[in-house]
Amino acid sequence: MSEEIKKDNYSADNIQVLEGLEAVRKRPAMYIGDVGVKGLHHLVYEVVDNSIDEALAGHCDTIGVWINEDNSITVRDNGRGIPTAMHTKEKKSALEVVMTVLHAGGKFDKDTYKVSGGLHGVGVSCVNALSIHLRATVRRDGKVFEQEYSIGKPLYDVKVIGESNETGTEVTFKPDNTIFDSTEYNYDTLAARMRELAFLNKGITITLTDRRQIDENGNNYAVKFYSEGGLREFAQYLDRNREPLISDVIYFEGEREGIPVEVSLTYNTSYTENIQAYVNNINTHEGGTHLSGFRRGLTNTLKKYATDSGMLAKEKIEIDGDDFREGLTAVVSVKVAEPQFEGQTKTKLGNREVTAPVSQAVSEMLSAYLEEHPNEARIIVDKVILAARARHAARKAREMVQRKNVLTGSGLPGKLADCSEKDPAACEIYFVEGDSAGGTAKQGRDRHFQAIMPLRGKILNVEKAMQHKIFENEEIKNIYTALGVRIGTEEDSKALNLEKLRYHKIIIMCDADVDGSHIETLILTFFFRYMKELIENGYIYIATPPLYQVKKGNKSEYAWNEDMRDRLISELRGNGSESSVNVQRYKGLGEMNAEQLWETTMNPESRTLRQVTIENAAECDQIFSMLMGDDVPPRREFIERNAKYAKIDI
Ligand code: 0RA
């Protein structure tokens, strides 16, 4: 009789498991964010997170990640190996439970401090549910255990396939192409995340190998990340294309009020502030209590030092929080047992108990540094004073812009051809390179919902300019006023009033040549530094005009790359008829007439827009500083490496 009951429970459990995994397949976005490129890469992070946890528990120091030839992924660690013994309640191997039961991962090892399970932290069973095939191999107790699954369902019971004196876990999964928009992994995206993880978790070796790509020596693309210095080295990496203001990185690592805190900061000669804040290895770009703690510690300590040293005595202007952060690069990382994530993208830490420990850590490390390094302290305070003066000049410039807007009634720039629709969600604005293409776009557009604003040539490089120069710049003032967003107020200079945004699609339309991509990058740099919320909310797009028109008689088609062009040529030639096919290379938008521009680039029915997203905030900062900075060799290397991605697949 007891046998009967157990059997019933067993099958009931099984049904629950299948229902759980079915829920993941029905609403994958709820579990992994989305089913686009981001979600696809999240699968890898989810699996790696488990190995990182094992490493943080002190049982593993090496993690390997492979992109296999078929775009499946292998993650292997040298930890203890997921337990394989029979789970008494579930009546199956613990390995099977971890792989098939939602959120089962952490239940086996309560003593271990888990830092994954943060933002998505959905567990490896989600990855399993979303994979057409997954193989788990565990080495422990002298044996090699294995189980395979398809869309989360075990293909057989856990079995022993060999012997080994190593220990560890290895997972190979192939994402289900009926779930994901694309199943092609991007090496650079994964490399950026693995680099970040290595900095955030010093002492762990993480390797990434791309079995799809072979370099000139016949080897697979491969990279090894290892950081001895942790966040100290992370800050140096972020600033590697900037000129240092002080040669040191100020660093703290320790526990305050039971919360592990690691902080590093340094100053460079630029005018941008770059603070990357992490909770449980997740980049919290909306900030939160740990970031407030950092700011409080920094401002209080520097203010006290500057006042006590007498350096502020002659200054008539008030110094405020922003002034302490010009040219600052910092990384903050805390580990929180039960993080509360808030905000629009759930990347803002809400736990109030985290502010004080971070603030204390920053105060301690910074006051010690300032006391011991009077020369550097003076250099930093001088820069702060300079920033305060520049801010006052910038405020005057801003007030001028705002006053001018009041005077001109509508306040809209003269160069803007607005649309008639008023609902921002339905409105688009095209920022177009040059007046001539702007004119064509005005003729070609649907004026009901499409606004056009031509931009004159190259806009200001905001990476190199001081704030007041930026707000005095005519093109930049026009961008602000056309979009309807306010230039930040004193107190919170970087927050945009998004509710006033007049268009929910902001489209950059440039020529498909070198100058065009330079202008595109300048505009994107501006959005990234001064209107990041627009990118984070998915409002920024890049238009993709065609490169070729292939014509025969009255038939004409467009091509966006060489392959497409050649295919069209042979299609239009047909069988046997002569080479009366005419190919036109578009160098600029201006070479298309209004109708062609509409048809290829602006008509929502037929155009391709590329949405701009931030996949990795720290990497993004580094790339912009490199692209827009003074150092040429790293820029050339980056452009050569990424040229192949500039082509668009349709
Ligand atoms: C729970 C208990 C034990 C190991 C793990 C989880 C574990 C999970 C993963 C996931 C990827 N790699 C992993 N490595 C280990 C071990 C308990 C014990 O041996 O006493």
Side-chain angles (χ1 to χ4, degrees):
M1 176 153 139
S2 67
E3 197 61 41
E4 283 286 325
I5 293 168
K6 268 191 193 153
K7 243 188 181 158
D8 277 346
N9 279 349
Y10 178 65
S11 55
D13 281 348
N14 259 340
I15 289 165
Q16 252 183 353
V17 167
L18 293 182
E19 278 175 353
L21 296 186
E22 200 45 49
V24 176
R25 291 180 60 80
K26 268 209 183 106
R27 291 198 181 73
M30 252 186 63
Y31 296 85
I32 53 159
D34 66 36
V35 290
V37 174
K38 258 191 177 166
L40 181 75
H41 289 76
H42 249 116
L43 299 181
V44 184
Y45 308 153
E46 194 60 49
V47 179
V48 172
D49 268 358
N50 291 300
S51 300
I52 294 274
D53 275 343
E54 183 69 359
L56 292 178
H59 302 293
C60 152
D61 63 8
T62 306
I63 301 169
V65 178
W66 289 264
I67 310 171
N68 300 309
E69 265 174 283
D70 63 350
N71 270 294
S72 67
I73 296 284
T74 298
V75 178
R76 179 173 178 167
D77 67 49
N78 64 348
R80 290 167 296 176
I82 299 177
T84 51
M86 211 44 112
H87 191 259
T88 38
K89 180 172 155 272
E90 306 265 1
K91 248 199 132 188
K92 47 192 159 196
S93 163
L95 173 62
E96 180 170 332
V97 177
V98 169
M99 288 295 162
T100 59
V101 179
L102 279 185
H103 305 290
K107 284 184 192 160
F108 295 94
D109 204 12
K110 287 211 182 61
D111 305 330
T112 308
Y113 193 82
K114 287 275 178 293
V115 302
S116 64
L119 187 54
H120 292 297
V122 286
V124 68
S125 60
C126 276
V127 178
N128 197 6
L130 300 175
S131 295
I132 194 71
H133 185 262
L134 184 145
R135 179 169 52 240
T137 311
V138 170
R139 291 171 177 82
R140 61 181 282 151
D141 308 326
K143 298 194 181 78
V144 184
F145 301 86
E146 195 157 274
Q147 187 170 38
E148 290 172 82
Y149 318 79
S150 183
I151 58 170
K153 295 172 190 152
L155 298 177
Y156 50 82
D157 287 344
V158 173
K159 64 182 179 193
V160 175
I161 59 159
E163 292 180 5
S164 172
N165 48 22
E166 293 175 42
T167 65
T169 304
E170 181 177 332
V171 170
T172 298
F173 65 93
K174 187 164 169 53
D176 187 342
N177 65 1
T178 66
I179 300 265
F180 292 94
D181 297 339
S182 152
T183 47
E184 184 162 339
Y185 277 103
N186 183 310
Y187 177 76
D188 288 327
T189 302
L190 291 180
R193 176 61 179 158
M194 297 310 132
R195 176 187 297 111
E196 187 178 39
L197 283 172
F199 282 132
L200 289 166
N201 305 281
K202 60 182 178 184
I204 305 178
T205 300
I206 307 178
T207 60
L208 173 67
T209 308
D210 191 345
R211 289 180 164 139
R212 303 165 307 178
Q213 302 193 74
I214 292 175
D215 67 16
E216 58 270 24
N217 302 320
N219 300 318
N220 285 130
Y221 277 27
V223 60
K224 177 169 147 184
F225 299 111
Y226 171 83
S227 174
E228 182 95 47
L231 298 195
R232 189 194 283 281
E233 288 170 8
F234 199 175
Q236 276 165 340
Y237 171 76
L238 291 174
D239 265 1
R240 71 193 176 132
N241 299 304
R242 297 191 178 102
E243 195 187 322
L245 186 75
I246 56 171
S247 56
D248 306 299
V249 175
I250 306 166
Y251 179 73
F252 174 95
E253 191 206 4
E255 207 169 281
R256 287 291 171 272
E257 298 178 21
I259 294 173
V261 181
E262 195 181 347
V263 196
S264 67
L265 72 84
T266 189
Y267 280 90
N268 58 63
T269 58
S270 83
Y271 309 108
T272 40
E273 161 192 335
N274 176 25
I275 309 176
Q276 302 295 336
Y278 294 85
V279 176
N280 300 352
N281 292 334
I282 294 158
N283 191 305
T284 40
H285 20 110
E286 291 177 284
T289 51
H290 55 329
L291 188 62
S292 309
F294 175 86
R295 287 187 169 149
R296 184 183 299 173
L298 181 86
T299 305
N300 291 349
T301 312
L302 276 179
K303 205 169 207 167
K304 183 171 184 319
Y305 183 87
T307 311
D308 292 353
S309 69
M311 286 177 74
L312 290 186
K314 325 184 269 304
E315 293 302 318
K316 288 190 199 69
I317 45 178
E318 191 48 34
I319 310 274
D320 88 6
D322 274 1
D323 304 328
F324 294 105
R325 299 195 297 272
E326 212 177 84
L328 171 77
T329 291
V331 192
V332 183
S333 170
V334 292
K335 305 269 161 71
V336 180
E338 281 178 45
Q340 284 138 33
F341 290 108
E342 303 167 351
Q344 272 197 323
T345 53
K346 292 267 174 277
T347 55
K348 182 175 181 181
L349 184 68
N351 304 53
R352 295 175 161 276
E353 72 277 13
V354 180
T355 305
V358 179
S359 164
Q360 268 177 36
V362 174
S363 298
E364 276 177 41
M365 73 168 191
L366 193 55
S367 38
Y369 178 84
L370 295 172
E371 289 308 327
E372 288 161 23
H373 300 81
N375 289 338
E376 283 81 359
R378 171 165 292 272
I379 293 172
I380 294 171
V381 175
D382 276 342
K383 171 140 176 128
V384 170
I385 292 171
L386 209 67
R389 291 195 195 131
R391 182 173 49 82
H392 281 260
R395 188 183 53 192
K396 286 205 184 113
R398 282 204 296 261
E399 281 168 359
M400 297 267 282
V401 182
Q402 271 144 1
R403 198 164 320 126
K404 204 167 114 204
N405 288 345
V406 174
L407 294 179
T408 55
S410 81
L412 293 175
K415 293 197 329 177
L416 172 73
D418 207 4
C419 54
S420 54
E421 171 67 46
K422 291 290 171 242
D423 174 14
C427 292
E428 305 180 345
I429 183 168
Y430 279 81
F431 287 115
V432 187
E433 171 187 353
D435 287 335
S436 120
T440 316
K442 278 181 203 175
Q443 288 168 36
R445 68 174 172 154
D446 181 335
R447 65 180 57 238
H448 176 65
F449 68 97
Q450 291 179 319
I452 306 293
M453 175 128 134
L455 292 180
R456 173 171 42 87
K458 305 209 163 159
I459 75 160
L460 187 71
N461 180 353
V462 300
E463 201 66 28
K464 286 193 195 162
M466 287 182 90
Q467 268 212 23
H468 68 282
K469 287 280 176 223
I470 293 166
F471 293 115
E472 280 161 12
N473 182 274
E474 206 54 43
E475 301 296 305
I476 286 176
K477 283 194 286 193
N478 283 342
I479 294 176
Y480 271 107
T481 38
L483 293 179
V485 288
R486 181 172 35 82
I487 302 175
T489 60
E490 282 303 294
E491 309 81 61
D492 198 357
S493 68
K494 263 136 211 153
L496 282 187
N497 53 342
L498 279 182
E499 69 285 353
K500 288 277 164 60
L501 181 66
R502 303 175 63 242
Y503 316 89
H504 283 190
K505 278 206 174 70
I506 299 161
I507 302 163
I508 305 169
M509 185 159 74
C510 293
D511 290 343
D513 61 9
V514 180
D515 271 354
S517 28
H518 188 209
I519 292 167
E520 214 168 85
T521 317
L522 286 167
I523 300 175
L524 282 177
T525 308
F526 166 70
F527 283 136
F528 181 70
R529 294 291 179 210
Y530 287 87
M531 297 188 175
K532 199 184 243 164
E533 296 96 320
L534 297 185
I535 304 182
E536 282 166 355
N537 283 283
Y539 295 145
I540 308 285
Y541 296 84
I542 294 173
T544 57
L547 290 179
Y548 300 97
Q549 184 185 36
V550 184
K551 244 186 177 152
K552 188 193 173 187
N554 55 5
K555 257 183 136 178
S556 93
E557 304 256 13
Y558 300 96
W560 274 259
N561 57 44
E562 283 71 26
D563 283 353
M564 220 173 148
R565 174 199 63 190
D566 296 343
R567 206 172 53 230
L568 286 175
I569 293 175
S570 57
E571 268 173 36
L572 283 179
R573 274 206 185 116
N575 45 347
S577 72
E578 270 313 294
S579 169
S580 53
V581 176
N582 173 32
V583 180
Q584 190 191 346
R585 165 81 164 93
Y586 287 125
K587 291 198 201 71
L589 298 164
E591 292 179 22
M592 277 184 273
N593 64 34
E595 199 185 323
Q596 289 169 328
L597 190 62
W598 163 256
E599 197 182 322
T600 59
T601 316
M602 299 178 72
N603 179 358
E605 305 276 309
S606 49
R607 73 184 174 193
T608 303
L609 292 182
R610 289 182 294 164
Q611 190 176 39
V612 178
T613 59
I614 300 174
E615 273 170 35
N616 187 308
E619 193 68 8
C620 215
D621 167 80
Q622 198 279 122
I623 289 172
F624 274 116
S625 74
M626 179 264 295
L627 283 177
M628 296 288 117
D630 291 313
D631 221 7
V632 176
R635 173 160 59 233
R636 173 164 321 136
E637 188 192 309
F638 176 86
I639 290 172
E640 280 169 7
R641 229 174 110 59
N642 285 278
K644 62 184 164 156
Y645 296 115
K647 288 192 191 156
I648 308 138
D649 296 315
I650 296 196

